[in-house]
Amino acid sequence: MAEDTPVPKLNFEYWLDKAIEWGQATTLESQKDVCLHLPQLQKFLHEIYETLKHMDSIGAIQQFPLIGQLLGRLCWNPFVIGYDESQKTLMWCLCCLYSSEPQNPVELKANSWIQSLLCHLLSSSKWESNEAETSTFISTLGYTSADYYCHLVKNMVFSLVTEFRGNQFNGLNIQGRVSASRVNTVSLFCLPLITLPDLAPLLETLLHYHGGASKEILSTEFLEAVNEAFLKKKISLPETAVFSLWLRHLPSLEKATVYLLDQLVSIQLNSLEEVACVIKDSLLPQAANHPAIFRIVSEIFKNALMETDGAPEVMTILQVFTQLFLQAHQNENKPHKFSLKAYFPYHHQPLVTALLRRPFELPATHWSAHLKHISDMLKALVEDTNVSSAADLFEIWFLVVCFGEWLDIAAEQLLKAAVEPDALLWLLAFYYCPQNENQQRTQTVVEAKAVYNHLMLLFNRIVLSVKDLEAAVHSITDTERCCNQHLITHLLTNFLLFSSGGHTIAQEFIYHITETTDSSKEVCSLLIRTAYRINHNGEKNTRTVKLLNELLKKLTLKV
Amino acid sequence: MEAVLEQVEQLPALLVGARSALVRDWDSLTLDRALEWARYFQHVHDRFRTRPRLREVLGRRLRRAQPSLPLGFPHLGRCPQLLGLALLENRALPPAACRCLLRSLLQFPGEEAGPEPHSLALLARRKAASRLLALPSGLPRSPADMEPQLQAEAQLLLGRLREEGPEGEPAGESVGPPRWLSAVLEQLPLPRAFEVVAVALLGQGNGADQAGDGDGAGSSLEGNWASAIGDKCVAGPLLSWLLGNQERFYAFCLFLPGSLLASLAGHYSQLSRPYLDLLTGCGSHLLYDPLQGRWVINCPNKAVLSWEQLRERFTCLCQVSAVLKGQTQAALKLLKAQDGDFQVRGLSVWTDLLMELGTFL
């Protein structure tokens, strides 16, 4: 909706012209135009109210001579009255104009006019006529118009739902009773009412309704508005209806994905459980069971990674998203569900298969062998001269980032298990430094290995000092280079968590590295990922858990 | 308790007053007091809602207070809304009191929300929604467009009947429909009152076969309202209103379509015999015109069914259920036998009707 188009403040003439042009919104053009302007108009009405509430009615009419005309016309426009909170603000404005001690015929007339408008909005007389029978019937029964319209709207929704469902299930009778233009109009007319809870069954039916045409049958404005309301949690919809919306309207899917990313990056998250919760809540991992949705969401994540130059938060988000997607895929009980490989059709399939194995599916003792297998495959792929284009390389790297959990395990295994380090160090070097221009990666592996060897010498020492660790880092000359800095930080953090003496200097050392290298976010991401994995594997490493919590508490206060 | 009862007796006067010219003398204080009373009645309702004995006593006292205005216990609960909207529509209310009313009805930002937050905004929104959802029909107004309105009226009628329950009318008056029911239905013009009663009795109005069992797709939605079928204390008063007056029942059967009437007869055995009698009564008014070669109405001044209408109504009856088909067939055969049991067209209307219905019998 045109929320951004600037409209001068309290521009009565603009809105009065609009209201006159719209009339009672009987043509399709005027209906579309009303829908387009509803959010703006609501804002405008609110501004009027904010001005009016400090004035008396005479002053108001003197200052805004057009106000009566404008409000009166708007009261007869069902799109305006039906929209969100516009009717409330409009009634407040009318009430401000009502004078409790009318001094002259004009004010008396205005009062009577306001009372009529309010009766028109609230009584059970018909919108277009003054048919009084229903009114007296209802009041003689001892009910009010509130009871009547509550039933009436539900009945109308039910009758439309029955009509559309019947048509949809008619199978061959696609031309049916319901024409495409009728469905389109109904969807447009529902737009102002999207957040009215009575409408929920109709929204659901419309979102599932396709009709016989290959073209989109629902109005674009409607689809956008439903998506918007869903993202802002103004309505709740069944999962299948949301999936149907995203499948038929890709801009909505894009918006939902970008919205999720913004949400995750902008709020302070203290644990991966929270991240997982927000992601799950978005319904995107579940929706990604449709390969088409999966592909588009992946593309958006790719762009986010490129734009942020591989920001650690985005990499963490991607990793959690993939895990939740795999979980949702496993939970899906459809007879014809796609095999997981179908979601990664252009990748080296043995590599995909290896990465798809969830860590908990293997005994921990097999992890390093599995990682070596992955590393060897990757190395062969990356060093293959046929796969030399930057785009190909990026695709492979992106795949590895999606399954970043294995990389975290690799860094952990290097310190915790007796492993032959070369393959795992190469794997981490690729993760942090995918490009190998000027032998960058090769150099990274060499340097990382030097630090690693030094760390291993200190691993079982109970008495440690910050100086000892600094010495390990300084054993390599060039500490400024970015990619290997990330890798070294990763190794150091794990050393602090898992070595015999690391916990004694952890606080101090982490403070030291985050101060000197501005890597608090990165360390924070590492720690919350580790905490999440330990929680989920039910590991009983109480010392590590305690340390993790302490470190995170300090760091999240800082970030 | 007696004190409460005496206070409750004031409710009808309050509501009648709010709709009358008496409000001309109200100032903002009077108005506040009236609204205060309305909230108090709501409070009384909430306190006694779960106590059937006391409910009954209160309901009886309400009815006794003003027999002309049919009120019951549930009205206590709706009192603030009933009063507020009644006053809003009353042009006699002076400006000062009216402004005071508006401020209390429209919860302003920052003001303490009442028990039903934004209920008037919701009402205005729903009214607009009913307008919007009715607009795209495209076609000229057909009877089906009226259906949701009819249903809403029928739902309110059923709601009231259920609220009244078996204690709705004091014992001894149980012959005939409760007085309030007649008073209420008189508010609607005739064909509409009949339609509302029929819809209330059947649930789904339009199709004869839809009653009772909704299709799978709709059943979850349909759950929000049940017809009178299977609910004696609801159907009873409606049926006695219909059958209690010969002329009314006759008009009812003339106005409504055959499929709907057949469906009603199928669900309510009390209706099937009178309906069949009425149809055969109409049949005996038909005369065969040998020149035109068809059955014509014998008494042009009286509203009776034509041959075509009669045939349609009998056909519908035979389609509803095996039991009704049997009854209809038996009645027609008996009449045919009384007419001499001829098998030739144009001699007895019953013979001809049976021949027309042949495919169904």
Side-chain angles (χ1 to χ4, degrees):
Chain A
M1 291 195 200
E3 263 173 286
D4 314 320
T5 332
V7 173
K9 231 187 162 195
L10 286 191
N11 191 339
F12 277 90
E13 273 152 48
Y14 173 82
W15 287 112
L16 183 60
D17 284 348
K18 276 281 168 209
I20 292 171
E21 187 188 311
W22 295 335
Q24 288 194 45
T26 41
T27 68
L28 190 62
E29 284 77 53
S30 66
Q31 287 154 358
K32 279 197 169 160
D33 196 53
V34 184
C35 287
L36 203 67
H37 287 86
L38 287 172
Q40 265 179 22
L41 178 60
Q42 173 153 304
K43 236 187 250 166
F44 171 73
L45 286 172
H46 212 86
E47 281 165 22
I48 301 183
Y49 168 67
E50 288 298 325
T51 315
L52 288 184
K53 71 177 179 185
H54 304 297
M55 306 170 101
D56 60 4
S57 53
I58 307 178
I61 295 171
Q62 273 167 355
Q63 191 169 343
F64 308 113
L66 298 177
I67 193 168
Q69 261 205 71
L70 174 63
L71 298 184
R73 282 179 184 275
L74 293 179
C75 281
W76 284 91
N77 189 321
F79 286 85
V80 175
I81 301 305
Y83 180 65
D84 202 33
E85 298 197 328
S86 294
Q87 70 300 113
K88 194 160 63 183
T89 323
L90 204 54
M91 290 195 286
W92 287 342
C93 290
L94 288 175
C95 190
C96 292
L97 293 178
Y98 192 94
S99 90
S100 52
E101 286 159 8
Q103 306 292 332
N104 53 52
V106 175
E107 280 184 277
L108 274 170
K109 218 177 136 192
N111 273 0
S112 148
W113 167 82
I114 289 168
Q115 215 176 339
S116 319
L117 280 178
L118 287 170
C119 283
H120 155 69
L121 292 177
L122 299 170
S123 77
S124 48
S125 66
K126 284 225 171 61
W127 192 277
E128 71 276 28
S129 69
N130 275 325
E131 197 184 285
E133 296 121 17
T134 303
S135 238
T136 34
F137 174 73
I138 295 165
S139 64
T140 319
L141 265 178
Y143 291 99
T144 64
S145 47
D147 303 301
Y148 174 68
Y149 285 110
C150 175
H151 283 295
L152 180 57
V153 170
K154 284 188 181 118
N155 294 342
M156 293 178 117
V157 165
F158 175 61
S159 129
L160 285 167
V161 166
T162 315
E163 180 186 344
F164 292 162
R165 281 191 189 163
N167 201 53
Q168 186 89 323
F169 294 140
N170 264 348
L172 290 174
N173 185 15
I174 289 166
Q175 309 276 322
R177 297 170 291 137
V178 190
S179 70
S181 75
R182 171 156 164 75
V183 180
N184 184 278
T185 317
V186 171
S187 73
L188 185 68
F189 283 33
C190 283
L191 190 147
L193 308 171
I194 284 169
T195 54
L196 183 66
D198 306 331
L199 262 276
L202 182 56
L203 295 187
E204 192 189 339
T205 307
L206 283 172
L207 291 175
H208 285 299
Y209 189 91
H210 287 276
S214 54
K215 249 176 62 192
E216 177 58 65
I217 194 171
L218 302 177
S219 98
T220 315
E221 295 85 352
F222 168 78
L223 292 168
E224 279 167 3
V226 172
N227 192 50
E228 184 83 16
F230 170 74
L231 294 181
K232 298 210 167 130
K233 301 214 180 305
K234 284 184 173 177
I235 51 168
S236 65
L237 287 169
E239 282 188 11
T240 53
V242 179
F243 301 164
S244 180
L245 165 68
W246 288 339
L247 277 169
R248 69 195 298 163
H249 191 242
L250 293 183
S252 283
L253 174 61
E254 283 168 16
K255 199 164 180 195
T257 315
V258 172
Y259 185 83
L260 172 67
L261 274 171
D262 284 345
Q263 202 183 356
L264 287 170
V265 173
S266 65
I267 52 172
Q268 157 95 52
L269 293 159
N270 299 318
S271 71
L272 223 52
E273 277 83 359
E274 272 177 64
V275 177
C277 214
V278 174
I279 297 180
K280 238 190 214 166
D281 225 32
S282 76
L283 297 187
L284 281 166
Q286 298 88 317
N289 268 315
H290 295 271
I293 291 184
F294 182 85
R295 219 164 22 244
I296 285 161
V297 173
S298 293
E299 284 306 315
I300 294 168
F301 278 130
K302 263 181 223 168
N303 283 333
L305 267 183
M306 280 199 275
E307 276 167 27
T308 58
D309 217 6
E313 309 95 283
V314 181
M315 284 168 75
T316 304
I317 290 167
L318 186 53
Q319 181 180 328
V320 179
F321 181 86
T322 312
Q323 285 171 19
L324 291 173
F325 159 70
L326 292 177
Q327 219 175 66
H329 185 269
Q330 200 171 24
N331 293 342
E332 179 144 297
N333 284 322
K334 273 203 204 136
H336 303 295
K337 71 175 181 185
F338 292 90
S339 98
L340 276 173
K341 288 180 190 168
Y343 297 85
F344 309 94
Y346 305 116
H347 285 290
H348 184 60
Q349 288 301 310
L351 177 64
V352 172
T353 313
L355 287 171
L356 278 170
R357 290 299 284 276
R358 309 291 308 275
F360 61 78
E361 293 169 3
L362 293 171
T365 46
H366 288 43
W367 283 350
S368 41
H370 187 65
L371 284 163
K372 184 175 182 309
H373 177 55
I374 291 174
S375 175
D376 291 345
M377 269 191 289
L378 259 180
K379 201 170 176 187
L381 273 177
V382 169
E383 286 172 2
D384 180 351
T385 43
N386 293 329
V387 198
S388 50
S389 86
D392 291 341
L393 194 66
F394 179 77
E395 287 296 328
I396 297 173
W397 178 74
F398 180 76
L399 182 73
V400 174
V401 173
C402 289
F403 296 94
E405 192 183 4
W406 277 119
L407 274 296
D408 287 336
I409 292 175
E412 224 171 274
Q413 289 289 303
L414 274 169
L415 291 158
K416 281 167 82 180
V419 291
E420 204 281 295
D422 289 4
L424 302 198
L425 282 169
W426 186 90
L427 187 59
L428 284 167
F430 174 70
Y431 181 65
Y432 284 114
C433 188
Q435 279 168 328
N436 199 20
E437 282 167 44
N438 310 322
Q439 299 295 303
Q440 219 172 342
R441 194 192 311 122
T442 321
Q443 182 62 23
T444 303
V445 175
V446 173
E447 288 168 4
K449 190 162 182 191
V451 175
Y452 169 74
N453 284 338
H454 205 131
L455 288 177
M456 287 320 280
L457 290 177
L458 302 173
F459 195 77
N460 291 321
R461 284 241 309 254
I462 295 168
V463 183
L464 269 176
S465 73
V466 172
K467 283 222 160 59
D468 295 330
L469 279 191
E470 273 180 340
V473 180
H474 289 302
S475 66
I476 50 170
T477 46
D478 187 1
T479 53
E480 295 303 308
R481 284 233 303 274
C482 130
C483 38
N484 94 39
Q485 184 59 48
H486 294 315
L487 205 173
I488 305 296
T489 307
H490 201 159
L491 289 176
L492 283 172
T493 311
N494 277 350
F495 177 85
L496 293 172
L497 290 174
F498 301 115
S499 69
S500 310
H503 63 282
T504 59
I505 55 161
Q507 292 282 8
E508 197 187 340
F509 192 77
I510 293 243
Y511 179 78
H512 174 75
I513 52 172
T514 54
E515 282 299 290
T516 52
T517 60
D518 187 30
S519 54
S520 350
K521 273 199 172 171
E522 183 185 343
V523 175
C524 199
S525 280
L526 275 174
L527 292 175
I528 62 173
R529 273 174 3 223
T530 312
Y532 182 70
R533 210 172 41 254
I534 290 183
N535 278 346
H536 277 244
N537 295 350
E539 266 180 54
K540 293 280 176 288
N541 198 336
T542 43
R543 199 186 73 193
T544 311
V545 173
K546 204 170 144 240
L547 179 60
L548 267 170
N549 289 337
E550 283 169 11
L551 291 174
L552 274 171
K553 215 185 252 168
K554 277 249 166 99
L555 264 179
T556 45
L557 280 178
K558 241 179 87 188
V559 173
Chain B
M1 189 63 203
E2 189 51 40
V4 176
L5 285 172
E6 273 171 25
Q7 286 161 343
V8 162
E9 268 182 6
Q10 306 301 314
L11 170 65
L14 180 65
L15 290 180
V16 170
R19 293 198 187 112
S20 75
L22 288 174
V23 298
R24 202 178 299 119
D25 301 324
W26 286 23
D27 57 12
S28 42
L29 267 172
T30 331
L31 184 101
D32 275 341
R33 239 185 356 255
L35 294 175
E36 201 68 45
W37 272 105
R39 281 190 287 270
Y40 170 73
F41 288 138
Q42 189 178 33
H43 169 75
V44 170
H45 172 266
D46 295 347
R47 226 174 90 200
F48 296 112
R49 202 181 38 196
T50 51
R51 303 168 71 177
R53 281 266 308 125
L54 292 171
R55 272 182 67 140
E56 201 188 315
V57 174
L58 284 165
R60 206 160 39 224
R61 192 62 82 95
L62 269 174
R63 274 187 298 273
R64 210 179 66 189
Q66 188 126 12
S68 63
L69 189 73
L71 293 180
F73 176 79
H75 294 95
L76 289 170
R78 285 193 292 272
C79 196
Q81 245 177 3
L82 282 168
L83 182 75
L85 289 167
L87 285 170
L88 184 66
E89 290 178 32
N90 193 338
R91 291 311 180 96
L93 195 66
C98 187
R99 183 168 162 96
C100 192
L101 172 75
L102 296 182
R103 291 215 75 94
S104 104
L105 285 183
L106 306 169
Q107 285 130 5
F108 278 80
E111 280 174 20
E112 206 183 324
E116 290 169 85
H118 314 310
S119 55
L120 280 199
L122 181 61
L123 160 58
R125 201 173 181 204
R126 280 185 169 143
K127 183 169 178 182
S130 74
R131 170 71 172 163
L132 284 174
L133 295 177
L135 279 179
S137 64
L139 307 158
R141 276 169 82 89
S142 71
D145 286 341
M146 284 296 290
E147 206 117 294
Q149 280 90 332
L150 277 180
Q151 276 177 12
E153 285 166 11
Q155 283 158 339
L156 292 180
L157 183 62
L158 287 171
R160 176 71 196 270
L161 284 162
R162 289 208 177 89
E163 283 174 349
E164 290 288 340
E167 80 252 29
E169 198 76 354
E173 281 185 47
S174 55
V175 196
R179 255 180 303 180
W180 66 264
L181 181 63
S182 311
V184 160
L185 288 170
E186 273 161 24
Q187 303 299 322
L188 292 174
L190 257 192
R192 191 160 172 84
F194 291 153
E195 285 166 332
V196 169
V197 170
V199 172
L201 283 169
L202 276 183
Q204 296 294 300
N206 189 22
D209 305 315
Q210 287 176 356
D213 52 335
D215 60 341
S219 50
S220 59
L221 265 163
E222 216 171 5
N224 67 23
W225 84 293
S227 72
I229 295 167
D231 192 343
K232 264 195 193 135
C233 72
V234 171
L238 292 174
L239 289 173
S240 76
W241 177 80
L242 264 184
L243 295 168
N245 180 323
Q246 186 69 43
E247 251 174 80
R248 185 185 294 144
F249 183 64
Y250 198 83
F252 181 80
C253 297
L254 287 188
F255 273 125
L256 295 182
S259 56
L260 191 63
L261 290 165
S263 193
L264 281 167
H267 280 290
Y268 299 99
S269 55
Q270 305 95 305
L271 282 181
S272 57
R273 181 40 64 185
Y275 181 46
L276 210 50
D277 289 348
L278 183 137
L279 291 183
T280 50
C282 284
S284 60
H285 283 104
L286 293 180
L287 200 69
Y288 193 75
D289 181 342
L291 290 177
Q292 296 184 48
R294 59 192 197 89
W295 291 92
V296 292
I297 295 167
N298 172 14
C299 43
N301 298 326
K302 210 175 159 196
V304 285
L305 294 167
S306 69
W307 160 257
E308 287 77 15
Q309 287 169 319
L310 208 55
R311 188 181 55 192
E312 187 248 350
R313 278 164 162 71
F314 274 116
T315 309
C316 290
L317 269 181
C318 291
Q319 284 166 323
V320 161
S321 74
V323 178
L324 269 186
K325 191 167 108 178
Q327 280 178 14
T328 311
Q329 194 179 18
L332 287 176
K333 279 190 175 153
L334 186 66
L335 289 163
K336 180 186 162 212
Q338 285 168 0
D339 270 1
D341 227 351
F342 295 104
Q343 274 304 98
V344 188
R345 279 188 186 266
L347 287 179
S348 160
V349 71
W350 316 120
T351 307
D352 287 16
L353 274 171
L354 277 166
M355 282 176 162
E356 288 285 333
L357 297 175
T359 43
F360 302 107
L361 297 176

